[in-house]
Amino acid sequence: MSGPTDGFGPRGLCRGAALTLVFASVLATGAATGSLPHGHGTNAAIKARAVASTADRDEVAHAAAEALADGKSATEAAEEVVSRSGDRWGAVYDEREYAEFEQALDGSYTGVGLAAKRSADGLVAVARVQPGGPADRAGIERDDLLRTIDGHRVDKRPVAEVVALLRGDRTSAAAGTTVVLGVQRGATGPTRTLTLTRARLITEAVTVQKLGPNRSDSSAAVLIKVDSFTKGAGAKVRDAVRSAPAGAGVLLDLRGNSGGLVTEAVVAASAFLDGGLVATYDVHGEQRALYAAPGGDTVRRLVVLIDGGTMSAAELLTGALQDRGRAVTVGSRTFGKGSVQMPSKLAGGSVAELTVGHYRTPAGHSVDGHGITPDLAVSSRALQRGETVLSGLGGGS
């Protein structure tokens, strides 16, 4: 199954999954309730005003302020408190990480330009190489095996840990730093040692292509691949659906999508729904809801591809389309990250993010810790199976 890219790469699984939804819930709350002040819908001040669980927030803030006064690291002190809190998705980010995250939401990141996945043999393989990135220039190709990173064997490590090593820690995750990879082409090929220099890269969150033997045919299926829900991704999905030929079905590929902005996932849902509920969620026990905009394409044939790398906002979109009978889902069970985090600024400029609630699909199913089970479970050749399912669906616009 595909894992997240090093663009939203976690330091560890929990930290990285939290990273994909930092501040997203703040924006979603405003969109759902109209509570965002006029003229300040997405700025940093609104993000900073969001609060986490009061007791935890106060304890974390106190620890950070006390450490700073003692000449110690406020970030590390806050991290220690969060790690003891039992908050699975809680995280603390220093100023540089916060800035990196905001850039990532705009579609840029620092990395080597590759995504990792688990191979059929249980090894770690390259799932995707970004054209023109450091990995591409070094000659790394899709399905190459990653055997070592900076001398560490990664054969059996979780994909999230491999991504964390590619991304680097606080001191190395910056443009201009290097990472040494041991890369093997094929199970019997020699392992090459390659030194890659991390760079600032621009991601293409949404890509569109026609499928089928005759791609000039107006009824050919359209594949819309969404790698992450960065700013503008939802509108790109909507535009791709609107511009697809009238008779064409859509394969919406959310495999390996580690999430992003919930508001963008709601816009994407609106491309296929004519208004109505997308998800419900709670913040400090208060129930809230997210709704699709009216006017979406409700008749075009639709299949959604998912896997264990489908997380958070991507799961929210999947759950909405599945529960409302709008799509057939094909692939494997999604990751299961359905919690809501909100940030709070700490002394010294760090940001603490703590869990304040969970979201549910339109039918009331909890995603967190459970994931979403596909309508058709397949372990391989998901794209081909998805095309087959799509061709068997009736209707179409």
Side-chain angles (χ1 to χ4, degrees):
M1 61 182 66
S2 297
T5 72
D6 60 346
F8 286 98
R11 308 291 185 270
L13 184 56
C14 296
R15 186 176 181 81
L19 179 64
T20 66
L21 203 53
V22 177
F23 306 143
S25 299
V26 182
L27 302 180
T29 300
T33 66
S35 61
L36 294 182
H38 294 297
H40 302 280
T42 60
N43 65 18
I46 292 300
K47 297 172 183 175
R49 280 201 292 272
V51 294
S53 176
T54 303
D56 287 340
R57 181 201 62 187
D58 290 346
E59 184 180 0
V60 172
H62 176 74
E66 192 174 65
L68 193 65
D70 291 340
K72 299 177 181 178
S73 169
T75 302
E76 291 180 2
E79 282 183 332
E80 184 177 349
V81 174
V82 173
S83 68
R84 295 199 310 263
S85 71
D87 187 343
R88 183 184 180 196
W89 303 111
V92 179
Y93 305 93
D94 63 23
E95 285 186 281
R96 185 192 59 75
E97 289 174 324
Y98 173 70
E100 283 275 326
F101 172 69
E102 289 203 310
Q103 289 174 334
L105 287 181
D106 286 327
S108 67
Y109 71 102
T110 298
V112 297
L114 63 80
K117 65 179 180 180
R118 183 69 59 192
S119 74
D121 297 328
L123 302 176
V124 178
V126 175
R128 185 171 59 255
V129 179
Q130 182 166 332
D136 185 34
R137 294 195 300 269
I140 295 176
E141 298 180 1
R142 178 183 171 88
D143 294 325
D144 281 354
L145 299 176
L146 296 177
R147 308 312 296 259
T148 63
I149 299 178
D150 286 334
H152 301 286
R153 298 284 298 185
V154 298
D155 293 344
K156 300 299 181 180
R157 289 199 182 201
V159 168
E161 288 187 15
V162 174
V163 170
L165 291 172
L166 288 170
R167 177 69 174 80
D169 57 23
R170 283 195 174 126
T171 60
S172 64
T177 60
T178 59
V179 58
V180 181
L181 306 183
V183 181
Q184 183 180 23
R185 183 154 301 161
T188 60
T191 298
R192 298 174 293 154
T193 300
L194 303 172
T195 300
L196 276 60
T197 300
R198 297 182 179 96
R200 173 64 58 184
L201 301 171
I202 303 299
T203 62
E204 188 63 46
V206 180
T207 54
V208 183
Q209 68 179 96
K210 283 188 176 181
L211 300 175
N214 184 7
R215 299 186 182 186
S216 62
D217 186 346
S218 63
S219 63
V222 175
L223 174 67
I224 303 175
K225 170 66 176 172
V226 187
D227 287 329
S228 59
F229 285 105
T230 53
K231 292 176 183 177
K236 289 179 180 178
V237 172
R238 180 195 60 209
D239 293 345
V241 174
R242 289 177 177 175
S243 61
V250 169
L251 276 165
L252 181 63
D253 191 351
L254 301 180
R255 293 175 297 173
N257 184 320
S258 55
L261 288 168
V262 167
T263 46
E264 296 297 334
V266 174
V267 173
S270 300
F272 303 101
L273 300 171
D274 185 15
L277 187 63
V278 173
T280 59
Y281 63 105
D282 59 278
V283 175
H284 303 312
E286 180 184 346
Q287 295 299 310
R288 300 174 183 178
L290 298 167
Y291 295 95
D297 187 330
T298 60
V299 296
R300 190 184 298 275
R301 294 168 294 134
L302 177 63
V303 169
V304 179
L305 304 178
I306 56 176
D307 67 2
T310 306
M311 301 170 62
S312 102
E315 291 177 285
L316 182 147
L317 172 58
T318 301
L321 297 177
Q322 184 185 57
D323 277 8
R324 295 188 56 184
R326 182 60 189 89
V328 176
T329 53
V330 175
S332 54
R333 184 187 294 270
T334 62
F335 182 85
K337 202 286 184 181
S339 57
V340 176
Q341 284 76 43
M342 286 188 179
S344 178
K345 195 166 185 178
L346 306 175
S350 299
V351 174
E353 179 202 47
L354 302 177
T355 300
V356 297
H358 298 83
Y359 73 78
R360 293 178 178 273
T361 67
H365 300 131
S366 174
V367 174
D368 202 53
H370 303 285
I372 295 174
T373 301
D375 299 311
L376 175 62
V378 297
S379 57
S380 62
R381 299 177 61 83
L383 178 58
Q384 291 83 350
R385 294 295 296 276
E387 286 188 81
T388 299
V389 172
L390 190 65
S391 66
L393 296 176
S397 55

